[in-house]
Amino acid sequence: MRKLLAAGVFALSASIAGAAFADPVKVGMITTLSGGGAGLGVDVRDGFMLAIKQSGNTEIEVVTEDDAMKPDLAVQIADKMLQSDKVDILTGIIWSNLAMAVVPNAVNQGTFYLSPNAGPSPLAGANCHANYFNVAWQNDNLHEAAGAYATSSGYKKVFIMAPNYPAGTDALTGFKRFYKGELAGEVYTKLGATDYAAEIAQIRASGADALFFFLPGGMGIAFMKQFAQSGVDLPVVGPAFSFSQDILGAVGDAALGVKNTSQWSKDIDNEANKAFVESFQAEYGRLPSLYASQGFDTANLILAAAAKASVKDKDAFRAALKAAEFTSVRGDFKFGPNHHPIQDIYVREVVKEGDVLTNKIVGVALEDHQDAYASECKM
Amino acid sequence: MQTALLIEQILNGLQFGVMLFLMAAGLTLIFGVMGLINLAHGSLYMVGAFACAAVAAATGSFWLGLAASLVAAAAAGAIIEVSVIRRLYDRDHLDQVLATFALILIFSEGTRWIFGSFPLYLDIPPLLRGAVPLPGGSAYPAYRLAIIAVGIAVAIGLYLLISRTRLGMRIRAGESDREMIAALGVDIRTLYTVVFALGAALAGLAGALVGALQSVQVGMGEPVLILAFVVIVIGGIGSIKGALVGAVLVGLIDTLGRFLLPMALAGFMDASSAAGIGAALASMLIYVFMALVLAIRPQGLFSAQR
């Protein structure tokens, strides 16, 4: 009888505790904070931490480590976070090759992975997993939108270019899926390359009427500057990555007028976004990039799910994540069957506001867009 | 149009090679004279680029920035020589690698601490903007031609310095027998500091010149450093002539490979796979070339070693 009573009291207290406080959540963030890609990781982290800070939720603990853009290092950090830090959720990876090295193993061990950036095609299709959620996009998405924009703009002969790694092949595949004209040329560059003279010479000789390229981070800065200096005068279309706020300053006026596709822009007109842009600027003294918006959304998704379910109850927490009942700064957001977003993708133009280069929305490329791999995902 | 494209690509290869020469010359000089492996050479390249970008942004003049890059890199070189490198001459190469690797981390984090994680803006000077017409109807960026000219001038200058001046004589002597020239009363410590600062200034110059073409960011020196090592291994360690020939060969092989291989493969496979496989093969070419050179001449093309 005493035992039963004790058990009853225990159960009651546990249920009260459960109702009053959610369980603490431990988040492991593996992101790129040094080397050429550091700007992206810093923005994801800063956006993420801003949301945590604004929530006032002290039950969420975040451990952050720098992967230096190296797959082997990312795997090591992930092992350490899973085994000794015992994190409930992993997040933060910027690059697709690192995501492919870390994510399958982590989600198979029962940990949740929320991607604030990379969305390689295998993880959206054949290798999708119930514990893997992508809060940014599937890799092809922004490129598909660029293809759709190139088609609607009437370009007939586009030269396309991307680095030779998973996200690069995804980019060109995505562009071709929605582009109806012919290709003036297709070139893969070395990942991390900083000199594009050889490629620019080919573009010049190809007789193209427009150029599409995907070169994230420092690669895009180098390319855009060299392209502007080369005297080749073609309209340029690209995904937002080469024209995001974190690098526009370094590209300079060479980027003016370029059209780029993005699921987020600082001028998307909704309350959450306005508040985000203002508070990000107040906190860090710079304009947020789309990476910052993705980090911010990822943290808010975790906060929303943690308010509804304990992270220890994996099925309930998964269902809470899947419902995605948070206010995304990009406006409408929901998950498709493969846990990748269904969302609008905009066309932006690089403009100058005062002295600051930034982006302005000029149209919608694809509405309520879902990725092409969802049907291959069996879960 | 095809010949024009080829001429342009050869110029591109030359320009890339000349830029590698500026890095490799300092590296090989330091290795040849002092027997020191300096992994932090790429950091000096980064120092040059950041100094140029910061001064150019503050003053509005690229040329002041360029001067600042030489001064800053030479000063950084002299400081690390006196404070760290000096203790490493008598140690083995493994200790040198370890210590200079630590310097890379210190330089990278220090630069991040001062300038932040986001890339800096550095544009080419107005004087060198635009393209110069080439025979065959094509055009070539004036700035890249200027880099080729600077590289050739530096090569000639180094040749004259080493073969015609007292300092050059001491450098050559230090290369052959350092105990003997020390015994003859040459201040070997100062000589080493001067050589190190000279090598650093060359790396800084390369960083500043290339910074205007690329992005000025933390960690920009390491990919170039790897190529510079490939160059001096091909050219023969310690030989300036070897560095020049090796750099131009690597520049041409890399550029032409990136351009011709996908084209050749497209002859018998679809364009998309040819582009992917061609790019993958092209990125290996210089290493294959290095292996070939080492198989035939293990000491490199123009080895200065006895």
Side-chain angles (χ1 to χ4, degrees), chain B:
Chain B
M1 196 61 205
Q2 281 306 312
T3 33
L5 180 59
L6 195 64
I7 292 173
E8 191 175 349
Q9 297 292 25
I10 289 171
L11 281 174
N12 285 334
L14 204 58
Q15 181 259 312
F16 184 42
V18 153
M19 196 278 297
L20 284 178
F21 167 70
L22 293 179
M23 284 294 284
L27 205 57
T28 206
L29 201 59
I30 290 165
F31 195 98
V33 178
M34 313 176 199
L36 178 99
I37 295 185
N38 178 23
L39 288 189
H41 203 65
S43 300
L44 298 165
Y45 168 89
M46 176 180 75
V47 166
F50 272 88
C52 186
V55 171
T59 62
S61 160
F62 175 83
W63 305 108
L64 282 178
L66 197 62
S69 74
L70 288 171
V71 174
I79 291 169
I80 60 171
E81 202 277 338
V82 171
S83 60
V84 180
I85 307 283
R86 191 164 275 190
R87 304 175 202 319
L88 300 170
Y89 294 130
D90 296 331
R91 306 267 197 128
D92 63 17
H93 289 328
L94 203 59
D95 287 354
Q96 297 171 353
V97 164
L98 203 61
T100 52
F101 183 71
L103 283 175
I104 294 184
L105 302 180
I106 293 168
F107 268 104
S108 290
E109 284 316 301
T111 312
R112 189 188 311 287
W113 185 62
I114 300 171
F115 293 101
S117 294
F118 296 95
L120 298 193
Y121 174 73
L122 175 63
D123 203 359
I124 57 174
L127 185 65
L128 295 173
R129 249 168 235 163
V132 176
L134 286 185
S138 190
Y140 197 73
Y143 186 72
R144 287 185 189 268
L145 283 178
I147 293 185
I148 297 178
V150 168
I152 293 172
V154 167
I156 295 172
L158 273 179
Y159 170 75
L160 292 177
L161 176 80
I162 289 180
S163 62
R164 299 286 158 83
T165 65
R166 182 170 283 270
L167 175 66
M169 191 178 71
R170 288 181 173 171
I171 291 176
R172 277 180 291 144
E175 222 168 326
S176 321
D177 193 335
R178 73 171 93 170
E179 281 82 14
M180 186 56 84
I181 72 157
L184 289 172
V186 173
D187 182 356
I188 193 97
R189 289 194 139 200
T190 316
L191 175 68
Y192 278 14
T193 310
V194 168
V195 172
F196 201 89
L198 176 67
L202 289 177
L205 175 66
L209 289 175
V210 169
L213 283 176
Q214 304 175 353
S215 64
V216 177
Q217 59 186 2
V218 174
M220 63 188 285
E222 276 70 70
V224 191
L225 180 74
I226 295 170
L227 289 176
F229 270 113
V230 170
V231 164
I232 67 169
V233 167
I234 289 174
I237 290 162
S239 160
I240 299 279
K241 188 162 82 177
L244 181 63
V245 174
V248 170
L249 282 175
V250 166
L252 285 174
I253 289 172
D254 187 66
T255 306
L256 294 180
R258 263 151 67 194
F259 158 61
L260 294 174
L261 264 181
M263 218 186 243
L265 289 177
F268 54 90
M269 57 174 76
D270 72 285
S272 191
S273 350
I277 297 170
L281 289 177
S283 63
M284 293 178 223
L285 263 188
I286 54 169
Y287 300 99
V288 173
F289 177 65
M290 177 171 78
L292 277 177
V293 168
L294 289 183
I296 299 163
R297 278 182 72 86
Q299 72 277 35
L301 294 176
F302 298 92
S303 179
Q305 303 293 315
R306 281 72 46 200

Side-chain angles (χ1 to χ4, degrees), chain A residues 108-186:
Chain A
N108 281 330
Q109 290 183 37
T111 314
F112 289 101
Y113 185 85
L114 273 72
S115 176
N117 199 61
S121 52
L123 296 180
N127 297 340
C128 67
H129 194 281
N131 289 343
Y132 171 77
F133 289 82
N134 191 309
V135 197
W137 20 255
Q138 194 279 316
N139 279 356
D140 302 13
N141 288 165
L142 303 195
H143 315 295
E144 290 169 337
Y149 171 76
T151 305
S152 69
S153 303
Y155 298 137
K156 298 274 180 285
K157 244 187 129 187
V158 178
F159 191 101
I160 61 175
M161 187 169 88
N164 201 11
Y165 84 121
T169 25
D170 282 359
L172 297 193
T173 313
F175 181 85
K176 287 188 274 187
R177 193 174 290 131
F178 281 75
Y179 170 61
K180 303 287 175 245
E182 65 174 300
L183 294 177
E186 180 173 356

Side-chain angles (χ1 to χ4, degrees), chain A residues 225-305:
Chain A
K225 282 166 78 173
Q226 291 163 30
F227 185 72
Q229 290 156 13
S230 70
V232 183
D233 189 21
L234 288 179
V236 175
V237 186
F241 314 119
S242 303
F243 307 96
S244 62
Q245 201 63 52
D246 53 318
I247 58 172
L248 271 180
V251 181
D253 290 352
L256 272 179
V258 170
K259 301 288 191 300
N260 62 94
T261 49
S262 177
Q263 85 287 2
W264 177 85
S265 183
K266 83 179 200 322
D267 55 343
I268 290 179
D269 194 13
N270 66 51
E271 284 308 312
N273 195 39
K274 274 182 204 148
F276 163 64
V277 174
E278 261 172 43
S279 56
F280 190 93
Q281 252 186 310
E283 183 81 20
Y284 303 108
R286 62 176 196 272
L287 285 171
S289 66
L290 89 156
Y291 308 107
S293 82
Q294 290 162 191
F296 190 78
D297 272 357
T298 306
N300 276 322
L301 173 63
I302 293 175
L303 288 162

